[in-house]
Amino acid sequence: YAGLPDEAGHKHGWGTGKYYKAIEHVDSLVGTLISTLKSQGVFEETHIFVVTDHGGKGYGHGGESMEEIEVPWIIKGPGIIKNRIIKQYVNVYDTAPTIAKLFRLSVPDCWAGKPVQGAFMSSEVSRQNKNVYVPKPKASIKSGIYTRPQMLSFTIASPDAEVRYTIDGKHVTSGSAIFSEPIPLTKSCTVYAAAFLNGKKSREARVDYIRVVEIRSISLLTRYSKKYHASGPKSLIDKKRADFDFHHKAWMGFEGTDLVAVLDMGHSRTFRDVVIGTLKNEQSWIFLPKKIELYTSTNGFDFHKLKSVKRDDFAFESSGSNDIVINIGRATTRYLKVIVRNQGTCPKGHPGQGEKAWLFVDEIMVR
């Protein structure tokens, strides 16, 4: 048992860079095992299982989402089909009965699992498993916020596979464009890519490229909570995003007060919208803003109202992190004042009725 990925998931979050580093470490351990078996001349006659007990979401697990309950189940050895995907339903508790079958042992009636017949070459069921495993492409850049154009490339572990992609946010099909050279990214977009081999499609790789205006500095005119301070005012323009957990270090919290900030873009810049990264978690007394106001200035002192939106214009039904996009159309300015209004107190009927409400923001983006 290698517990490092589980520890990394709880500490840093499932799907984070450090989580995948932990996976890579376990993969290297498997590689060491395989190398040792080969050096001893017993690799071909050895059965190997790779399985885990749960996935994860955010910083935990135990729920019923696919991220938490879908896990890999891999088997290798003599008499086992090679490079095929088992399409029959497999549960973790089918592992022990499968091992029993390898040793030609009977499975006790009290066991809930059954041997995974679809893995055995001798089984009629395995003949249904004709799909090969096609690894998904690996992107050259990560999803994120960028101030400059980027060149996006994809690599694939299977040399005979071809990579197809879309740049309009639509999912990839066999008719999508073939990747043959680096893709220039200049405007915000979502890119999907998938590998195809013998008519079979891999899982999709996704890159969210968000192009923003470079912000030279930020002045925060209201107090934020000492408990939820992120990394100070600059964290609101550092291009680092938080997740749905309000304990994430990128969240800045305001208890009962508004967020008022002045952004300096260095010189006059033209933009089309402003994005405020917010959090909704009403059980924890964290509410969406009741209003957002934008003001522009050429000198940093005299501000003129650009636009305001109320909660009814952007209300999100689901809890979690949400980006509020305020479409401007087109505007040019050097200084931008952003006022994100806290609703003040928890509403009537809420467990915290009358107490100070929280406002959480992780990023302010100008696009």
Side-chain angles (χ1 to χ4, degrees):
Y1 174 74
L4 187 58
D6 185 66
E7 295 172 10
H10 284 295
K11 185 175 181 179
H12 304 290
W14 265 260
T16 61
K18 291 186 177 180
Y19 172 77
Y20 285 120
K21 282 291 183 182
I23 296 290
E24 289 178 3
H25 175 69
V26 174
D27 187 59
S28 70
L29 297 179
V30 174
T32 300
L33 172 63
I34 290 174
S35 296
T36 302
L37 292 172
K38 287 182 176 180
S39 68
Q40 298 299 312
V42 294
F43 175 73
E44 295 298 333
E45 60 190 75
T46 302
H47 287 91
I48 298 175
F49 289 80
V50 179
V51 64
T52 186
D53 53 348
H54 59 75
K57 185 177 183 180
Y59 293 87
H61 54 79
E64 297 182 354
S65 67
M66 290 305 296
E67 294 94 333
E68 294 165 278
I69 66 174
E70 186 177 39
V71 298
W73 194 91
I74 304 169
I75 181 174
K76 166 269 170 198
I80 303 300
I81 59 175
K82 297 181 179 180
N83 193 29
R84 294 291 184 270
I85 297 174
I86 300 172
K87 68 178 184 178
Q88 294 81 31
Y89 179 79
V90 178
N91 205 307
V92 173
Y93 50 63
D94 293 330
T95 306
T98 304
I99 295 174
K101 178 177 173 63
L102 290 172
F103 286 98
R104 297 183 174 85
L105 300 175
S106 299
V107 175
D109 292 336
C110 61
W111 285 16
K114 297 180 180 180
V116 180
Q117 299 290 350
F120 292 88
M121 299 173 73
S122 60
S123 170
E124 289 287 336
V125 178
S126 70
R127 297 173 187 174
Q128 302 173 21
N129 299 324
K130 300 179 180 179
N131 292 349
V132 298
Y133 171 71
V134 184
K136 76 176 183 180
K138 184 177 181 180
S140 61
I141 67 170
K142 296 180 179 180
S143 293
I145 304 169
Y146 295 88
T147 58
R148 293 181 175 83
Q150 299 291 318
M151 298 300 289
L152 172 62
S153 295
F154 293 99
T155 54
I156 183 70
S158 179
D160 296 326
E162 65 177 12
V163 177
R164 293 179 178 269
Y165 72 96
T166 63
I167 200 169
D168 56 3
K170 295 181 180 179
H171 291 287
V172 183
T173 68
S174 58
S176 299
I178 297 177
F179 172 77
S180 58
E181 58 184 7
I183 307 164
L185 302 180
T186 58
K187 297 180 180 180
S188 296
C189 61
T190 295
V191 181
Y192 286 103
F196 289 81
L197 181 64
N198 298 329
K200 305 303 178 183
K201 176 185 173 183
S202 72
R203 290 191 177 188
E204 291 183 334
R206 172 174 173 166
V207 175
D208 291 311
Y209 171 76
I210 303 174
R211 180 72 185 275
V212 300
V213 173
E214 181 72 51
I215 307 298
R216 174 179 291 182
S217 64
I218 180 172
S219 298
L220 201 56
L221 307 182
T222 48
R223 286 184 180 275
Y224 50 87
S225 167
K226 292 182 179 180
K227 187 175 182 180
Y228 305 106
H229 54 77
S231 300
K234 288 186 177 180
S235 66
L236 294 175
I237 57 169
D238 66 358
K239 309 175 190 67
K240 297 178 182 178
R241 304 307 306 273
D243 59 21
F244 62 88
D245 187 342
F246 68 86
H247 293 103
H248 192 283
K249 62 183 180 180
W251 284 119
M252 180 173 284
F254 297 80
E255 187 180 19
T257 60
D258 303 331
L259 182 161
V260 182
V262 175
L263 312 182
D264 179 3
M265 292 177 271
H267 57 86
S268 291
R269 303 292 296 266
T270 299
F271 57 97
R272 68 179 187 278
D273 57 41
V274 176
V275 183
I276 312 295
T278 63
L279 180 66
K280 180 181 179 181
N281 185 343
E282 296 183 357
Q283 291 182 339
S284 300
W285 303 15
I286 303 170
F287 296 85
L288 293 174
K290 69 176 181 180
K291 188 178 182 181
I292 299 176
E293 303 167 27
L294 303 177
Y295 298 82
T296 60
S297 172
T298 56
N299 57 21
F301 300 100
D302 303 310
F303 285 88
H304 305 279
K305 190 171 185 178
L306 176 63
K307 189 169 184 177
S308 67
V309 292
K310 297 180 179 179
R311 183 182 297 164
D312 291 343
D313 299 322
F314 56 75
F316 299 98
E317 293 184 4
S318 59
S319 296
S321 55
N322 295 285
D323 283 346
I324 300 173
V325 181
I326 306 165
N327 184 265
I328 306 302
R330 185 180 177 86
T332 302
T333 192
R334 172 174 174 172
Y335 298 94
L336 179 69
K337 179 183 284 187
V338 179
I339 302 177
V340 185
R341 300 286 185 188
N342 190 317
Q343 78 168 32
T345 59
C346 296
K348 186 177 181 179
H350 187 274
Q353 176 179 329
E355 299 292 333
K356 292 181 180 179
W358 283 91
L359 168 69
F360 272 57
V361 176
D362 71 333
E363 195 76 14
I364 301 174
M365 296 170 277
V366 180
R367 304 191 301 191

